[in-house]
Amino acid sequence: AQSVTQLGSHVSVSEGALVLLRCNYSSSVPPYLFWYVQYPNQGLQLLLKYTSAATLVKGINGFEAEFKKSETSFHLTKPSAHMSDAAEYFCAVTSGWSGYALNFGKGTSLLVTP
Amino acid sequence: GAGVSQSPSNKVTEKGKDVELRCDPISGHTALYWYRQRLGQGLEFLIYFQGNSAPDKSGLPSDRFSAERTGESVSTLTIQRTQQEDSAVYLCASSLNRRSQGALGNGYTFGSGTRLTVV
């Protein structure tokens, strides 16, 4: 079985500051990892995904994440936060072709202050 | 349709009543998923439909929960004798292909959810 742990249920950054949202995974097989974003009153939207190609993955809205097997991590970063980045962010894992559904973390709420 | 449509967007019900939640997936998406999102929690997998195959009901929390899907179209999630712990946002998602293939390919497309409050 796979699972992800998101460290920090709430993260606050100033506009223009670095965004770092942490995700660690647990998987007995090579994982495929995802970040989703959920804006208020909207459904989840895929930000980016790691599917065993490049370990540094670039997504939409200037976000990127790096897969680090040695640290079992897939942290999400953005160099400069915008007010519009305020949302709930979810890390998720699946195991590829084995047929598992996505398993989600508990989410991290990002607050961006002026 | 253009996206995954869920209705109602909000539902307040009295404890003990039955509720039905509806999901209209993207046309042509063979896979459909229901997740539950409790306050402060991650998304909890409930049930998965793939075409005409038997659904995977392994995530349903109790026998008060059931879901149906007609072919590759609309799905309804029914909660009988609702309890306060059923209060949550119920999210539906669909994808072109099954499970992991859907996630790896075009991804899951989520609806905006139904916020269920049991009072």
Side-chain angles (χ1 to χ4, degrees), chain B residues 5-94:
Chain B
S5 178
Q6 290 188 247
S7 61
S9 55
N10 281 283
K11 176 71 176 178
V12 180
T13 189
E14 291 181 354
K15 179 181 173 181
K17 300 280 190 183
D18 298 352
V19 294
E20 264 193 11
L21 312 180
R22 176 187 169 104
C23 173
D24 199 346
I26 290 174
S27 178
H29 278 194
T30 59
L32 186 147
Y33 319 80
W34 283 98
Y35 284 84
R36 179 170 69 176
Q37 184 180 17
R38 287 169 158 168
L39 187 64
Q41 302 293 315
L43 275 71
E44 176 187 4
F45 167 73
L46 296 178
I47 188 168
Y48 156 70
F49 294 91
Q50 172 60 45
N52 293 316
S53 302
D56 176 357
K57 305 179 182 180
S58 60
L60 294 179
S62 77
D63 59 8
R64 296 187 295 104
F65 287 72
S66 63
E68 292 183 349
R69 186 185 188 193
T70 306
E72 297 181 354
S73 61
V74 172
S75 174
T76 55
L77 176 69
T78 301
I79 309 173
Q80 295 178 310
R81 306 181 302 282
T82 52
Q83 303 295 313
Q84 287 187 330
E85 67 259 26
D86 300 333
S87 296
V89 175
Y90 289 82
L91 288 166
C92 176
S94 69

